[in-house]
Amino acid sequence: MPIATVNPATGETLKTFDELTPDGVERCLAAADAAFRRHRTTTFAERARLLGRAADLLEADQDDIARTMTTEMGKPLTAARAEAAKCVKAMRWYAANAERLLADEHPPQDDVRDSGAAHARVHYRPLGPVLAVMPWNFPLWQVIRFAAPALMAGNVGLLKHASNVPQTALYLEDLFRRAGYPEGCFQTLLVGSRAVEGILRDGRVAAATLTGSEPAGRAVAAVAGDEIKKTVLELGGSDPYVVMPSADVERAATVAVTARAQNNGQSCIAAKRFIVHTDVYDAFTERFTAGMAALRVGDPMDESTDVGPLASESGRDDLQELVDDAVRRGAEVLCGGRRPEGYEERGWFYAPTVLAGITPEMRVHREETFGPVATVYRVADAEEAVRVANDTSFGLSSNVWTRDEEDVRRFVRDLEAGGVFVNGMTASHPALPFGGVKRSGYGRELADHGIKEFCNATTVWQAP
């Protein structure tokens, strides 16, 4: 795949970039290695000053970088601005909290007395240069939620971004440089996917983090496993959105539209499978379908647009194949199911779609729909809701709408997911750990869990 900015609203190639040569990669790796030796010895106060400066610069750049993101991958401009603001928030949170999160841990003295220690503690040390293989769908946020904790821990970053967001990737390197980070602390590597294995196998690279598809995760994990290097993987999701009889159905349906259509439907943590108790199925589905059908599809630079184009032509075509397969096997199209009127021949747009009558033979039952397509299931009770919700290879997050505390306890206990959001849609927050189970990956980002993923938890034992 060429490294290029291609406007998904028009299909026009706006700018192409040369791939980094092997000599260029070597220079970056050498710079990262040298930078880590310096950066690891800095104080938390020094790191917080640099990250805080980067946050201030990003806040000032918010409108410009939002337009770049929208141009490169098609998210509505308002959503791109919100993404930049969320990055600023996370950067400031880690600048303020990293020292506390990585403070030495002291086990109770009575617990270690028989080891012969006068003093014992756990001390957190950075690992080294971390390779980040990042996707295009949240081209700023996915990177910052890795970079902010990694840099505050004393690590340095090597970014291999998706090939269709090169200008955003280069902006990130420039952002940290302008903030005053020394050369090599954060570098963007404009390389294709074939270069990842060689970079990860290099002895100067300590670990890797990847957000992306299951095949990409398998490939990176296999190489890292062979090299015995730490990885964190955040892969796909097919999140359930369960609505029970006691729910505020009108509110659940309204939020469901946002939960499915956010980021043009291209989000791992978007709700995708709507599992509704039969007592409220008709009321919910009617409201939800009306809300999806009412979304305004159009130019993502227009402030009034709700849903822009998908990021690539292949992504749109893959989505259409999933819908067509479901329809051939008996699914009912409640709205959408095609390219929207006026966009049949230009741009990579797809109409917000709701499918009902889903059966296990349909691909949409098993595969992630990466676009504004929702599937609706009717269930008889909580037991069936759990069974349908868990009938997937993914386990990223989940949503449950109920006012019944027994329902809450049951779903929190039984749903196979990295998160359970009750009476609200899934969202990531710097103070809460984020990640999944099953084929949605392993490890956690954000919160104290995320900053500790790329640290050496060092046992310090001291005799009298």
Side-chain angles (χ1 to χ4, degrees), residues 27 34-35 58 64 79 110 132 140 154 187 211 223 352 367 417:
R27 286 192 294 272
L58 176 54
D64 289 342
D110 287 347
L140 207 65
Q187 299 174 86
T211 299
V223 173
E367 300 179 29

Side-chain angles (χ1 to χ4, degrees), residues 93-94 97-103 105 124 430 447-448 451-452:
W93 189 85
Y94 272 110
N97 290 284
E99 184 171 11
R100 172 181 62 83
L101 298 175
L102 294 180
E105 297 174 3
Y124 289 96
D448 60 331
I451 198 170
K452 290 174 179 174

Side-chain angles (χ1 to χ4, degrees), residues 20-237:
L20 200 61
T21 65
D23 285 346
V25 171
E26 168 57 31
R27 286 192 294 272
C28 290
L29 291 172
D33 184 53
F36 172 63
R37 296 178 191 280
R38 296 188 302 270
H39 189 59
R40 68 184 297 274
T41 65
T42 58
T43 66
F44 282 109
E46 290 175 283
R47 298 173 201 168
R49 178 183 60 79
L50 291 170
L51 190 60
R53 174 62 177 154
D56 292 343
L57 290 170
L58 176 54
E59 188 170 50
D61 295 343
Q62 182 173 322
D63 287 340
D64 289 342
I65 188 57
R67 296 185 72 84
T68 299
M69 287 191 284
T70 295
T71 299
E72 291 199 307
M73 57 73 55
K75 71 172 73 242
L77 187 59
T78 52
R81 287 200 199 98
E83 181 174 339
K86 185 173 185 176
C87 291
V88 171
K89 177 180 178 179
M91 294 162 83
R92 289 175 175 158
W93 189 85
Y94 272 110
N97 290 284
E99 184 171 11
R100 172 181 62 83
L101 298 175
L102 294 180
D104 286 357
E105 297 174 3
H106 298 269
Q109 191 60 30
D110 287 347
D111 289 351
V112 298
R113 193 182 310 278
D114 62 356
S115 74
H119 304 285
R121 69 184 191 277
V122 178
H123 179 68
Y124 289 96
R125 297 185 292 172
L127 293 181
V130 180
L131 173 64
V133 182
M134 293 287 109
W136 47 260
N137 58 332
F138 291 95
L140 207 65
W141 170 242
Q142 303 279 15
V143 177
I144 291 298
R145 76 184 192 190
F146 145 74
L151 289 168
M152 283 303 301
N155 296 300
V156 301
L158 293 162
L159 171 63
K160 189 282 179 216
H161 218 323
S163 294
N164 61 333
V165 290
Q167 293 187 66
T168 304
L170 291 170
Y171 167 82
L172 283 156
E173 179 180 83
D174 184 61
L175 172 69
F176 289 112
R177 181 184 297 115
R178 286 187 290 135
Y181 281 89
E183 180 184 358
C185 274
F186 187 93
Q187 299 174 86
T188 287
L189 311 180
L190 290 185
V191 296
S193 57
R194 290 190 302 272
V196 170
E197 178 174 351
I199 295 168
L200 184 51
R201 288 192 185 278
D202 190 282
R204 290 163 293 190
V205 175
T209 180
L210 177 141
T211 299
S213 67
E214 186 181 334
R218 287 178 183 274
V220 166
V223 173
D226 190 48
E227 295 291 334
I228 316 179
K229 293 182 179 180
K230 176 69 179 290
T231 53
V232 170
L233 302 181
E234 193 263 279
L235 308 178

